[in-house]
Amino acid sequence: MHDQAEWRENAADWIKTIAGAFLAYLAFTTMAFANYRIPSESMVPHLEVGDYIAVSKFAYGYSRYSLPFNAEALLPQSERRLFERLPERGDVVVFIHPVSGDTMIKRAIGLPGDVIEMRGGALWINGEPVEESARETILRRAHGRGREWAERYEEYLPGGHPHSTFNLTDAAPLDDFGPYEVPARHVFFMGDNRDNSLDSRWQGMGPVPMENLIGRAEIVYATALSCRGGDAACPMPRWLRPLHH
C-alpha cells in the first residue's frame, strides 16, 4: 500500500511538471517568440531555403493567429489586435496567406494609404521611385535549379529599412503593376527575390489584413547553406545577423 501511494504521488508530481512545462511553452510561443523554416527562395538574398528564423510575436500585438498549433479556429475573426502596432516599411514579416491559409514570409513594402507601383521592375511608392544602389551582376546557385544570373542591389524604402534585392529579368509578369492604393488595415508585401515571388502584386494573394500578421522575423539562428566556392557567388552572411537595422 505504501509503494502504491508513493507511486501515485510521484505520478501526480510528474503530471504537474509536464502540465506546467506545456503551459509555459504555450505562453512563450503565444506571447513571445516562435520559429519558422524558410521554404522557398522568395526572400533571397537575405534568406535561403532551409534557414531557421526567430519571430517576435509581440512586435505588432496579438491576434487569433498568434496562437500556436494552428488553433486560430478556436477564436472568432476580429479586425483588431491586442496592443496593435503597424509594421514599418522594410520589416520582414511572417503572416497567414489571406487566400490559401499558408504561413508566409515577405517584406512589408506598403502601409495603409500608400500607392504602390512597379515600372519595368523598379519600385515606386506614392508617385516617387524608390532609391536604388548600382546593380551588381552575380552568378549564384539557385535551390533545385542549378546556377542563375541575378542583379543584386540595395533598395532604400522611404522611412524604412534598406535591404538587398534580386532582379532576374526586366520582363517578368509582375515587373509592371499598379498603381495600387493599399486598403485600410492592410499591408502590402513583396519578396526580395522580385521575379521569384508570388506576393501582394499577385491577384492570388493581394494585400494582407492586419489580423493575419504573426510576427516580425528577427534573426537567422540556424542555416544549412554555406559557401561552396567555385565559380558561383556565396550566399549573403545571415547566421545570427539581425534582419532589421
Side-chain angles (χ1 to χ4, degrees):
M1 291 295 293
H2 175 73
D3 290 343
Q4 188 175 13
E6 184 178 359
W7 181 88
R8 288 177 179 174
E9 183 177 349
N10 289 337
D13 288 341
W14 272 106
I15 292 173
K16 290 177 183 178
T17 300
I18 294 172
F22 176 76
L23 290 175
Y25 171 80
L26 190 66
F28 182 81
T29 54
T30 299
M31 305 297 291
F33 288 93
N35 67 84
Y36 180 69
R37 182 182 181 273
I38 304 302
S40 74
E41 289 206 319
S42 70
M43 286 299 292
V44 169
H46 285 280
L47 297 171
E48 300 279 351
V49 174
D51 287 354
Y52 285 87
I53 59 171
V55 180
S56 59
K57 288 195 167 184
F58 50 83
Y60 311 123
Y62 305 99
S63 75
R64 62 192 181 119
Y65 291 108
S66 301
L67 294 173
F69 310 123
N70 299 318
E72 63 273 3
L74 300 176
L75 295 178
Q77 185 174 358
S78 173
E79 293 187 356
R80 298 292 172 184
R81 302 175 67 89
L82 184 64
F83 308 124
E84 179 176 290
R85 186 175 70 84
L86 269 175
E88 296 180 10
R89 292 192 195 94
D91 281 3
V92 179
V93 182
V94 176
F95 59 90
I96 297 297
H97 194 294
V99 178
S100 69
D102 294 332
T103 303
M104 309 288 290
I105 182 167
K106 305 285 183 186
R107 191 176 299 275
I109 298 295
L111 303 179
D114 283 345
V115 176
I116 307 299
E117 188 175 1
M118 295 290 292
R119 300 183 185 179
L123 174 62
W124 290 58
I125 298 179
N126 296 328
E128 298 290 337
V130 171
E131 182 183 354
E132 297 179 359
S133 68
R135 299 193 176 198
E136 173 192 12
T137 301
I138 64 171
L139 181 65
R140 64 177 296 269
R141 288 186 175 88
H143 181 72
R145 300 194 310 278
R147 296 178 300 174
E148 67 181 8
W149 291 99
E151 291 180 326
R152 185 169 61 195
Y153 59 98
E154 292 293 306
E155 196 172 66
Y156 302 92
L157 297 176
H161 307 289
H163 58 277
S164 296
T165 308
F166 263 15
N167 179 63
L168 303 179
T169 173
D170 290 332
L174 299 178
D175 273 345
D176 290 285
F177 170 84
Y180 176 82
E181 182 173 348
V182 183
R185 301 196 54 73
H186 286 70
V187 181
F188 194 96
F189 289 103
M190 293 173 64
D192 292 341
N193 194 357
R194 290 288 161 77
D195 299 323
N196 191 13
S197 174
L198 292 177
D199 46 43
S200 291
R201 298 170 292 172
W202 177 49
Q203 62 180 2
M205 177 175 142
V208 177
M210 279 291 296
E211 181 194 22
N212 289 41
L213 306 189
I214 294 176
R216 183 177 63 202
E218 301 291 355
I219 200 167
V220 176
Y221 69 84
T223 179
L225 187 62
S226 59
C227 183
R228 290 180 289 173
D231 58 356
C234 294
M236 284 182 59
R238 303 175 315 288
W239 184 59
L240 298 183
R241 292 170 65 97
L243 290 169
H244 308 96
H245 296 289

